[in-house]
Amino acid sequence: QFGCAEGVLRTRVGFTGGKKNSPNYYSLGDHTETVQIHFDPKKTNYQEMLKMFWENHNSTACHSRQYMSAIFYHSEDQERLARESKEEHQKKVSKPIQTKIAQAETFYDAEDYHQKYLLRQRANILDELKLSDNDIKNSHVCSRLNG
């Protein structure tokens, strides 16, 4: 859903939050699967991304580290906004929120076949676009179509 949000330029899936170098789907180490979102701050903001995050998944579910709910921040301001939004969201749900808030570490792209996964299920569309795997991963259009 992030890919079709106003102001989102690109989304990529990958791994972060751990110490293992060059993780992959079959060897994650202590990383978490995540989505990296690039947005135009003239068209949207971090608070809107947080709002979409809280509204579109179950933050009270407890998962393994690989699939845990997490917000990885890049600045003190993002950390503050993430923690404030978590406190506000807790008022709306009856169970304790399990979402972790942690500083962003190195982001490692997931394998190409994971990028724009939903779009890749529509081979006819991808065939028409005639894009390389790298183009698919970095394309604004593909992010929108996948969203």
Side-chain angles (χ1 to χ4, degrees):
Q1 289 141 337
F2 285 106
C4 61
E6 178 70 26
V8 171
L9 303 173
R10 180 180 70 223
T11 61
R12 293 193 288 185
V13 294
F15 317 105
T16 195
K19 301 298 180 205
K20 179 182 175 74
N21 288 327
S22 303
N24 62 59
Y25 184 75
Y26 296 102
S27 181
L28 277 178
D30 56 347
H31 287 279
T32 300
E33 288 187 30
T34 188
V35 60
Q36 184 180 64
I37 304 165
H38 292 264
F39 62 88
D40 181 345
K42 294 176 184 163
K43 295 186 178 177
T44 191
N45 58 48
Y46 189 66
Q47 293 96 316
E48 285 299 315
M49 298 297 102
L50 290 168
K51 183 177 180 237
M52 184 174 265
F53 173 83
W54 295 116
E55 290 175 351
N56 288 287
H57 85 289
N58 181 356
S59 59
T60 65
C62 198
H63 296 286
S64 67
R65 177 139 183 118
Q66 178 178 359
Y67 299 116
M68 76 177 184
S69 175
I71 298 170
F72 295 98
Y73 61 85
H74 295 270
S75 68
E76 288 179 9
D77 191 46
Q78 284 187 353
E79 178 185 17
R80 178 183 56 77
L81 292 168
R83 292 192 187 285
E84 288 173 0
S85 71
K86 181 179 178 180
E87 289 172 16
E88 283 302 308
H89 189 66
Q90 184 62 73
K91 295 174 186 175
K92 299 175 186 177
V93 296
S94 58
K95 295 180 184 176
I97 290 176
Q98 300 300 314
T99 302
K100 306 292 186 230
I101 297 175
Q103 185 169 1
E105 306 274 337
T106 302
F107 179 86
Y108 297 92
D109 287 339
E111 295 82 353
D112 289 337
Y113 65 92
H114 287 289
Q115 303 296 334
K116 312 304 183 279
Y117 182 79
L118 294 176
L119 178 58
R120 287 180 185 274
Q121 305 313 301
R122 305 294 301 265
N124 58 328
I125 295 173
L126 280 180
D127 290 346
E128 289 296 319
L129 293 173
K130 297 178 179 19
L131 298 173
S132 70
D133 282 332
N134 193 53
D135 291 338
I136 292 168
K137 178 172 54 178
N138 293 303
S139 167
H140 172 72
V141 170
C142 288
S143 290
R144 303 287 290 178
L145 290 171
N146 193 66

